[in-house]
Amino acid sequence: MLALRLTRAARPAVHLRRLLVAAAAAGTGFLLLSALGYALTHPSHSTAALLRLSWCAIPLATTVYLAVAVARTDPGARPRTGLSAFGLGPARLMAIAALNTALACTLGSLLALLVFLHLRGDLTGMPFDGAAKDFLAANRSLPVPAALTLLTIPPLLASTTVALTLRPRDLPHPATRSRIYGRFGAYNRTAKPESFGTYGRFGARFFRGPAPHTQPADDTEPPVQPADDAPPPSQPAGSRAAGVVRVGTGGPPSGGGTLPAPASDTPPTPAPAHGTQAPDLPATPPPGLPWGVAVLAAGLAVESYAGLTETTPRTALPGGLAVGPVGVLAGWSLTALGLILAAPGLTHLCGRLLQSVRPGARRLLAGRVLMTEATRLGRPLGVVCAVASAAFAAIALSGDDGSAPAFGPLTALGGLLVTGCTVATLLTAAVEARESRADTTAALVRLGAPATMLRSAAALRAGALLTFFGPLTLLIAELAALPLAR
């Protein structure tokens, strides 16, 4: 009941994102059922039916990607203070997020089944005068087990991916304590094993002193006592001595004892600059930029080679867009993967370019936020650019003869589904980034930063990303469409 209240008490924006997941699952389920209907209508064209079913993998992947992004921003799946006492720990919250995703996708699958049955004429008369009977299999009975199997794919895959993504990774693992038997069968745990000669040395058991970092260097020299008015040390003497050794002399003394007080008032030599430099996390670019550029170049090379080779097997794109070699499609996949891998590094580069050449407060804030959120915003942005480049290339290929591209209804639905899911994922990632830096924004407002500067900084970030990724997407789309345009 508590989990249900946490789910129902969400804000309207959270419910809207869940409805988007349900709508995406409904579109994907309808495409899967349409592939089944085409296979029933054309039993002799098994290769074409399998190709239609394989093209449904792209909308399915974007639907799962949207479901994961929505689950990450769901406030009901976030750990809160006191929820563990009610039995809602990290693992239980992960299960609740996966259950919410499964319910949303199941709702979408049921909606897809109802629409498909309505278009077939099973519920009422066949609408549109039977114009869509080619992929509906209206004259044949629909196999219920096959339809249910296809409709369970989106909920099962989305909930499993959400559970794997949100699984708790910082749970303490119980340490296994192994029994170590010491000297002569005594139960003891020693720091390191000792040989029999060490134990048998005369006086080793009776004159064992304290640890090397607290033992005096000489038996006749007493350790230095602190002054009466000195403040109590905040850490053990050994660690202070080790710190003085690291900063001052560069190594421990030969005797291993506590360092005496310096005879002169000369301060110790400070440590080198490289040893005390504070880490700058946003200045470190996210990994993946070199690999992304390499995969992108490899994809373009594969496309060019496949377009020049005449013996490469050819296949048809969905909806009758074009017919091209299989190597070109493989090159498109590598190009999209390279763009996705390189997008976080390119986003970080945009933030660094915003802060170059005497930046002001607005540019400095916008660039620093882009550098900090490069990984969170870069991946969805790379997916959007990959989808946009593929759509631009498909439109350019279909309109080479000057006519408007003639897309079928299923192709239009698939394109709308893929584009909508990727854009919604990007917007969801932007919402997640804004919520993650809510404390920083509140601190800036308390310090007197005007709201207009924060909004202009956000607009500057969006403009910088659009200026950088827009021409890059068009260039990749032109290079991707070049092999098929010959």
Side-chain angles (χ1 to χ4, degrees):
M1 293 299 297
L2 181 59
L4 181 60
R5 290 183 179 181
L6 289 176
T7 304
R8 292 177 53 190
R11 295 172 297 178
V14 179
H15 292 297
L16 178 61
R17 291 195 290 265
R18 292 171 183 169
L19 289 178
L20 288 178
V21 174
T28 304
F30 187 82
L31 290 177
L32 292 173
L33 292 178
S34 300
L36 177 61
Y38 182 84
L40 293 176
T41 308
H42 304 82
S44 59
H45 301 120
S46 58
T47 304
L50 184 61
L51 183 61
R52 282 174 173 263
L53 185 61
S54 63
W55 280 114
C56 296
I58 300 177
L60 180 61
T62 54
T63 301
V64 172
Y65 193 45
L66 175 62
V68 172
V70 170
R72 288 173 59 93
T73 57
D74 194 349
R78 296 177 183 174
R80 302 179 188 177
T81 305
L83 288 183
S84 298
F86 293 96
L88 291 177
R92 187 67 62 84
L93 292 177
M94 177 267 297
I96 292 175
L99 181 60
N100 291 335
T101 303
L103 290 178
C105 293
T106 303
L107 178 62
S109 298
L110 293 178
L111 181 61
L113 180 60
L114 292 178
V115 173
F116 188 78
L117 293 178
H118 174 68
L119 292 179
R120 277 173 48 91
D122 295 340
L123 302 180
T124 58
M126 178 174 290
F128 307 114
D129 296 331
K133 65 173 62 175
D134 186 38
F135 59 87
L136 294 177
N139 299 327
R140 297 177 180 269
S141 60
L142 184 67
V144 179
L148 294 181
T149 301
L150 291 177
L151 290 178
T152 54
I153 292 178
L156 183 61
L157 190 58
S159 59
T160 304
T161 308
V162 167
L164 292 177
T165 304
L166 301 183
R167 69 185 186 276
R169 298 180 177 87
D170 53 351
L171 293 179
H173 298 281
T176 58
R177 299 179 58 88
S178 59
R179 294 187 177 183
I180 302 178
Y181 294 92
R183 315 175 188 92
F184 300 103
Y187 180 76
N188 192 11
R189 181 179 293 272
T190 57
K192 60 181 179 178
E194 296 179 357
S195 62
F196 180 77
T198 304
Y199 174 76
R201 190 179 298 116
F202 178 77
R205 295 280 292 176
F206 302 101
F207 300 101
R208 177 175 295 178
H213 58 273
T214 59
Q215 184 180 2
D218 192 5
D219 295 337
T220 60
E221 181 180 356
V224 178
Q225 299 293 336
D228 296 336
D229 55 349
S234 59
Q235 53 184 353
S239 60
R240 295 202 315 273
V244 174
V245 167
R246 287 194 299 269
V247 177
T249 61
S254 59
T258 306
L259 292 178
S264 61
D265 296 336
T266 304
T269 306
H274 61 82
T276 59
Q277 183 179 2
D280 192 5
L281 296 179
T284 305
L289 181 59
W291 288 102
V293 173
V295 173
L296 182 62
L300 294 177
V302 169
E303 292 176 18
S304 301
Y305 179 77
L308 294 175
T309 305
E310 298 293 338
T311 60
T312 306
R314 307 176 72 85
T315 183
L317 297 180
L321 293 179
V323 178
V326 179
V328 174
L329 301 181
W332 282 6
S333 302
L334 288 178
T335 303
L337 179 60
L339 190 57
I340 294 172
L341 291 177
L346 296 178
T347 305
H348 187 276
L349 180 61
C350 287
R352 185 174 290 275
L353 291 177
L354 274 179
Q355 301 176 78
S356 60
V357 192
R358 301 171 64 91
R362 185 178 293 103
R363 288 171 53 196
L364 191 64
L365 178 61
R368 184 61 64 175
V369 169
L370 278 183
M371 293 171 66
T372 306
E373 305 291 341
T375 303
R376 182 180 284 123
L377 294 178
R379 291 293 169 82
L381 186 59
V383 174
V384 170
C385 292
V387 172
S389 62
F392 182 82
I395 294 175
L397 289 174
S398 300
D400 284 338
D401 54 351
S403 61
F407 295 153
L410 295 182
T411 305
L413 176 61
L416 180 62
L417 183 62
V418 172
T419 306
C421 287
T422 52
V423 173
T425 304
L426 179 59
L427 296 179
T428 305
V431 171
E432 183 184 3
R434 186 186 63 180
E435 292 178 354
S436 65
R437 62 175 186 271
D439 296 337
T440 305
T441 305
L444 290 175
V445 172
R446 286 195 303 268
L447 290 175
T452 56
M453 189 190 72
L454 299 178
R455 288 193 293 266
S456 60
L460 184 61
R461 291 194 301 269
L465 292 177
L466 184 61
T467 304
F468 188 87
F469 282 93
L472 178 63
T473 303
L474 294 179
L475 177 62
I476 294 176
E478 289 289 345
L479 294 177
L482 187 60
L484 292 181
R486 294 169 182 172

